[in-house]
Amino acid sequence: MMGTGTTGHGPNSLWHARDGHDTTGRLLRAATGSGARLIAEAATLVQGWAVLADPIAGAVYSAPAAAAADGVHAAAAPHDHPYSVQLPAAGAVLVLAPAPTTPAEHTGHVAATTAALLEVRGQRAAELRGEQMRLHTTLLRLLLAGHADAVVDALGGGAYTHVTVYRLTGEDTPAAHQVLWRAVRPTLAPHADACTLLGRLDGELVVAEVHRGSDDGRILRLVSRLCERHGLLAGMAGPLPLAEMSTAYCDAAAARHSATPAHRIVPADAIGAPRLAPLLPAAPYARWAAAVLRPLDPAQQHLLLVWLRTGSKPSAAEALGLSAGTVRARIREAARLLDADLEDATVRAHLLLALRAPAPADAAADSDADSGSDAAADAASGSGSGSGSGSGSGSGEAALRNAGEARLEALPAGILDTGAVRAWAGGLVDGLEPRLRIALTCWLRHHARTAPAATELHVHRTTLTTWLHQCADHLAQNLADATVRAEIHLALRITRCGPDAPADLPRRGGRTYRRA
């Protein structure tokens, strides 16, 4: 594709073969240096500007830098820039905007030669790309195996401390890998502010941006555009310390299970912290969570968290890189240690709350701050007394004694009976029709399995599926997200006025609504 440039044809604008020979020589010498030098030389020769625009990365090279936006726009909408010349080059678009006095023949020669040299450079890069991709995959596997120091040394010792991980899946993953590689132009140059590793592990496209604690968002923007263009779903986790690469890797997979075509990339922190948790009284909530989780070590707690966030054992196994049988065995062992039925929907919702509870020390600090403000208010009103202090100490000791008896089946007394919690629950599920509320309650109790829920409700599975779509529309929630389902289950329990049993489902007769 080529636009028509505005040129002059006076006696001073004649273009000869000798000029073409000199132009080719200058471009060849520039191409031996770098792509940026080649684009800069092309801009000089046409006495205007030159941009190599990529549909994902935007401006790959631009001379001058201020012309980048114009070049990208010209590549996307060539008819809006008839004065420029556009040619495909190395998977991108070369855009030249010559000066009005530059002969059209000279501009065409510069554009054709530059595009050809870019193709040669691209083919050379493609020959080396396979080896570079294998190196990146090896470095990713070393990071996942815990050899962060060795990876940092391989990257030139750039004092990297943190990593942000993306995991992408979709039918077009191989093509997306090539496109993202060209857009990112990954390099292992030492002393860079950040280094991006790209690799395909077990059919997924994995992107790990290794940096010094600050993420500028460039890779996130590229991954977002890539997901939209190639129909991929992605999860993102980080920034986390390099030593926690395996945790970030699992969290990114858990987040990807919440991605949808409407929201193709989901950060892990968007699904990791339930909205209910911040509304609970901090001190008793933290003490209860610490007590119930005391039998578990950090690895077991992380496995349970990934399982509850992905919503199924096979999905958790995929995220953790373990076999499904191993995950099932470890969950059974955790259930034994917790002395709880982890197949119960309420227990699972309580466990998710426990795993996301604040540390007891942080909760105690918040509680002390709240108590201090309350004491100051009491003193100002003249209501403080020594007996009140003794009572508070006694209640604290009682709470600690009760914490030793804490169980997942029940939250501490009164922890859900607050105005903030009831307002949250009412705002989430109020307004559901009785049939939708009963159907949703039953479906959540069956861990989002439609067939057994439809059997218990004595309705057709298609009917239940339709009702669930209506519930999702009414609640404006993503019912495919396991964390969202856990919160809705608790909200339904908090706001229920009756048993919400399948026997109470309103019937209208007919085969679809037959009675038991």
Side-chain angles (χ1 to χ4, degrees), residues 41 49 67 75 91 131 166 250 258 280 288 313 329 352 362 391 418 431 443 510:
E41 188 65 33
W49 54 262
E131 181 179 350
Y166 305 84
C250 296
S258 296
L280 302 180
W288 167 80
K313 295 180 181 71
L352 184 57
D362 298 337
S391 174
T418 65
W443 181 70

Side-chain angles (χ1 to χ4, degrees), residues 104-452:
E105 296 87 346
H106 178 65
T107 299
H109 179 70
V110 171
T113 305
T114 303
L117 291 173
L118 287 170
E119 290 287 352
V120 172
R121 289 183 58 86
Q123 291 174 5
R124 177 56 180 162
E127 293 173 358
L128 301 175
R129 190 176 299 160
E131 181 179 350
Q132 292 173 335
M133 286 181 173
R134 287 190 292 272
L135 175 60
H136 276 235
T137 301
T138 300
L139 292 176
L140 284 172
R141 293 191 183 280
L142 285 173
L143 274 179
L144 289 172
H147 303 293
D149 292 339
V151 173
V152 171
D153 290 340
L155 298 179
Y160 301 118
T161 59
H162 287 72
V163 63
T164 304
V165 179
Y166 305 84
R167 292 179 68 173
L168 300 85
T169 57
E171 295 182 358
D172 208 14
T173 300
H177 187 193
Q178 300 289 336
V179 171
L180 189 60
W181 184 278
R182 290 198 305 268
V184 174
R185 303 193 305 280
T187 176
L188 304 183
H191 309 300
D193 291 334
C195 179
T196 303
L197 301 177
L198 303 175
R200 291 177 62 196
L201 303 179
D202 302 323
E204 293 183 351
L205 176 56
V206 179
V207 183
E209 186 182 14
V210 182
H211 48 79
R212 300 173 183 174
S214 59
D215 187 344
D216 61 6
R218 172 176 173 264
I219 300 301
L220 175 58
R221 292 190 292 271
L222 291 176
V223 170
S224 297
R225 290 199 289 267
L226 186 77
C227 289
E228 291 295 333
R229 186 182 182 193
H230 291 270
L232 307 182
L233 300 179
M236 166 192 171
L240 287 176
L242 266 176
E244 299 181 25
M245 169 67 181
S246 58
T247 300
Y249 185 75
C250 296
D251 288 350
R256 190 191 61 235
H257 283 280
S258 296
T260 64
H263 299 88
R264 291 191 174 276
I265 180 167
V266 176
D269 55 8
I271 66 167
R275 295 176 180 85
L276 175 58
L279 302 177
L280 302 180
Y285 171 35
R287 284 194 296 266
W288 167 80
V292 297
L293 296 177
R294 189 173 293 122
L296 304 179
D297 60 33
Q300 290 171 318
Q301 293 183 28
H302 183 254
L303 181 142
L304 290 175
L305 181 60
V306 172
W307 169 50
L308 294 173
R309 285 166 52 178
T310 55
S312 70
K313 295 180 181 71
S315 297
E318 178 187 354
L320 293 165
L322 301 172
S323 70
T326 299
V327 169
R328 292 189 184 96
R330 293 183 182 181
I331 291 175
R332 285 196 299 269
E333 175 63 14
R336 185 189 67 80
L337 293 173
L338 293 170
D339 190 20
D341 179 12
L342 296 187
E343 293 304 313
D344 183 84
T346 302
V347 170
R348 288 192 190 184
H350 289 174
L351 178 58
L352 184 57
L353 281 178
L355 291 167
R356 279 306 182 186
D362 298 337
D366 293 340
S367 179
D368 290 343
D370 294 339
S371 298
S373 62
D374 293 342
D378 291 342
S381 62
S383 61
S385 67
S387 62
S389 175
S391 174
S393 175
S395 63
E397 293 174 0
L400 289 175
R401 286 196 302 270
N402 292 336
E405 304 171 359
R407 295 183 60 82
L408 278 173
E409 286 79 357
L411 291 170
I415 198 173
L416 295 180
D417 192 17
T418 65
V421 171
R422 290 193 172 278
W424 164 82
L428 182 60
V429 300
D430 276 355
L432 279 174
E433 298 179 31
R435 63 183 175 88
L436 297 182
R437 182 183 178 97
I438 293 172
L440 182 59
T441 300
C442 181
W443 181 70
L444 294 173
R445 190 169 61 252
H446 284 280
H447 308 301
R449 295 196 296 267
T450 302

Side-chain angles (χ1 to χ4, degrees), residues 16-44:
H16 303 287
R18 181 178 180 81
D19 297 323
H21 180 75
D22 293 342
T23 296
T24 301
R26 292 177 60 177
L27 291 171
L28 280 170
R29 287 190 293 273
T32 59
S34 66
R37 284 183 57 184
L38 175 59
I39 293 299
E41 188 65 33
T44 300

